[in-house]
Amino acid sequence: MSVFLVIIASYLIGSIPVSYLVARLWKGIDIRNYGSGNVGMTNVWRNAGPVAGVLAWAGDLGKGVLTILLAKHFGGPEVVAAAGIAVLVGHSWPVFLRFKGGKMVATFVGVIAAIALPVGLIAAVVWLAVVGLSGYVSVGSIAAVLAIPLLIWAFHLEWPYLVLGILVAALVIYKHKPNIKRLAGGAEPKIKRKFW
């Protein structure tokens, strides 16, 4: 399979709207019409329940893992990193939802975990710790994605993975601009403690 086909396949895997499908099948709702309107785990959790939220999270994470495992069969770090970027672009700008998707965090962790499991696990721990301490999912997400390039560097992974980490971290923060504005204005909702 050519690199071009790997990238196209990765984008299409990323475009599978797991959170949308889970909310539709679990609760019979179009998640885009509820809460923040975001097609992601947090919005599904808040509007379709914890089980649906976990399923959405697992599916989004799984897209990243699956893509990287497939890409490793067709090339080295450059191909794997390109596939990682493609699946994340597909998740955030999916062809199946008119290019309006999620914020990449769960899929990004899946990508990184499939590249280097310790990095993915530490990033997940950072997310859990910051969300637990702050009560804000968005703050945990931003902290986790900022940690990933540092962890890639600390674990001495190949340079394409560092490029992947820096580029995607920047994209994730860009996607969180509305959350950052709400945080600055004191309007960002905290996760309800009953979810824990």
Side-chain angles (χ1 to χ4, degrees):
M1 184 182 289
S2 71
V3 174
F4 176 76
L5 290 178
V6 169
I7 291 172
I8 293 298
S10 300
Y11 172 80
L12 292 174
I13 291 171
S15 288
I16 299 169
V18 175
S19 294
Y20 171 85
L21 293 171
V22 167
R24 178 68 80 181
L25 295 171
W26 190 264
K27 198 83 170 181
I29 62 173
D30 184 339
I31 196 62
R32 296 172 296 180
N33 297 327
Y34 290 81
S36 66
N38 183 56
V39 186
M41 178 271 289
T42 304
N43 202 34
V44 172
W45 187 307
R46 286 179 174 145
N47 293 284
V51 174
V54 170
L55 290 173
W57 171 82
D60 284 342
L61 184 116
K63 291 193 299 186
V65 172
L66 173 63
T67 297
I68 296 307
L69 293 180
L70 290 173
K72 284 181 175 180
H73 287 288
F74 298 102
E78 293 87 352
V79 173
V80 173
I85 292 170
V87 71
L88 291 161
V89 169
H91 175 75
S92 196
W93 292 278
V95 66
F96 304 125
L97 290 182
R98 298 181 181 179
F99 306 103
K100 294 181 180 179
K103 295 181 179 177
M104 301 190 218
V105 179
T107 305
F108 189 20
V109 172
V111 164
I112 294 302
I115 290 171
L117 184 58
V119 174
L121 290 175
I122 295 170
V125 169
V126 169
W127 184 88
L128 285 169
V130 175
V131 172
L133 291 170
S134 71
Y136 293 108
V137 173
S138 57
V139 175
S141 297
I142 291 168
V145 300
L146 287 175
I148 286 173
L150 296 174
L151 291 167
I152 290 171
W153 175 78
F155 278 84
H156 306 291
L157 300 185
E158 290 90 341
W159 70 264
Y161 299 137
L162 183 58
V163 172
L164 164 69
I166 292 170
L167 176 61
V168 177
L171 286 173
V172 171
I173 292 170
Y174 170 77
K175 293 286 284 188
H176 278 81
K177 279 174 62 179
N179 304 85
I180 293 169
K181 288 180 181 179
R182 288 194 296 269
L183 284 164
E188 178 77 345
K190 287 190 174 185
I191 193 167
K192 295 179 180 178
R193 294 301 179 185
K194 68 178 183 178
F195 287 170
W196 298 96

